Amino acid sequence: MQSPETILVPLAPGFEEIELATIVDVLRRAELDVTIAGTVPGPILGAHGIAIAPEVELSALDLSRFTMIVLPGGQPGTTNLRKDERILALIRRLAREGRRTAAICAAPVVLHDAGVLAGVRVTSHPSVRAQLTQALVDPDMRVVRSGPIMTSQGAGTALEFALALVADLCGADKSAELAAAMRV
């Protein structure tokens, strides 16, 4: 089962490197259509000093073509995503259309700021849970799927999160195949 989704992974200064690389790598192993777009011209420096060159600048894209967004966390990457109205507008559109949004680590606060988490069960990094005032925060789950919204706790859950996204988009068999190949 191949997903028809076109997935945007935005890259903002201060992103969490493990989360970005793991998510994009696993989604591409599943042969999904993923675009890494920089919120600023690249290369972009991550939270731990690793520079990544985005494939394209966000300003060069037609955001209406994307049917899903996956937000890596990290600081100040999450803060930078929270300030980007293009990202917030895309999240709101996807939510209105019942499409998928996903966020890991601190990035669920971006979904919160976009106004899409009211009454939604989520998880996040412990450092931002108090900011998710409209959501139903589950501190024990490593990955939470609530309808079209998926969240996860942080760098240590990135592989589990990415495989859950593959299961959601391509089926459990594809996720299990990738997990086996990666020796998870």
Side-chain angles (χ1 to χ4, degrees):
M1 175 171 112
Q2 186 60 42
S3 170
E5 302 290 354
T6 52
I7 304 165
L8 176 69
V9 179
L11 187 58
F15 65 93
E16 170 51 59
E17 294 94 335
I18 289 173
E19 294 164 5
L20 174 82
T22 302
I23 291 162
V24 172
D25 179 275
V26 172
L27 294 178
R28 288 199 174 152
R29 286 175 193 244
E31 300 179 1
L32 292 164
D33 181 2
V34 180
T35 300
I36 304 168
T39 59
V40 297
I44 298 175
L45 196 61
H48 305 285
I50 300 171
I52 302 287
E55 298 161 330
V56 64
E57 284 185 44
L58 194 62
S59 60
L61 293 174
D62 174 5
L63 295 181
S64 68
R65 80 174 189 86
F66 291 96
T67 59
M68 182 175 182
I69 190 168
V70 182
L71 305 170
Q75 285 296 0
T78 296
T79 299
N80 289 323
L81 290 175
R82 291 175 94 168
K83 294 183 214 174
D84 195 314
E85 186 53 43
R86 299 167 299 180
I87 299 297
L88 297 174
L90 177 58
I91 293 166
R92 290 180 190 117
R93 176 185 61 83
L94 294 171
R96 277 193 312 273
E97 294 173 359
R99 299 218 175 246
R100 292 176 176 96
T101 57
I104 186 170
C105 192
V109 298
V110 182
L111 299 178
H112 180 272
D113 289 359
V116 302
L117 293 186
V120 175
R121 190 171 149 259
V122 300
T123 195
S124 71
H125 192 273
S127 66
V128 298
R129 288 182 184 148
Q131 296 176 52
L132 301 172
T133 57
Q134 297 175 358
L136 306 172
V137 179
D138 187 334
D140 299 319
M141 295 297 294
R142 294 169 56 85
V143 176
V144 172
R145 182 179 186 278
S146 297
I149 296 173
M150 190 177 297
T151 54
S152 190
Q153 291 190 10
T157 65
L159 185 54
E160 186 177 343
F161 177 64
L163 288 169
L165 289 168
V166 170
D168 198 39
L169 295 166
C170 303
D173 289 345
K174 184 64 171 180
S175 181
E177 172 190 322
L178 292 176
M182 291 185 283
R183 308 306 300 153
V184 175

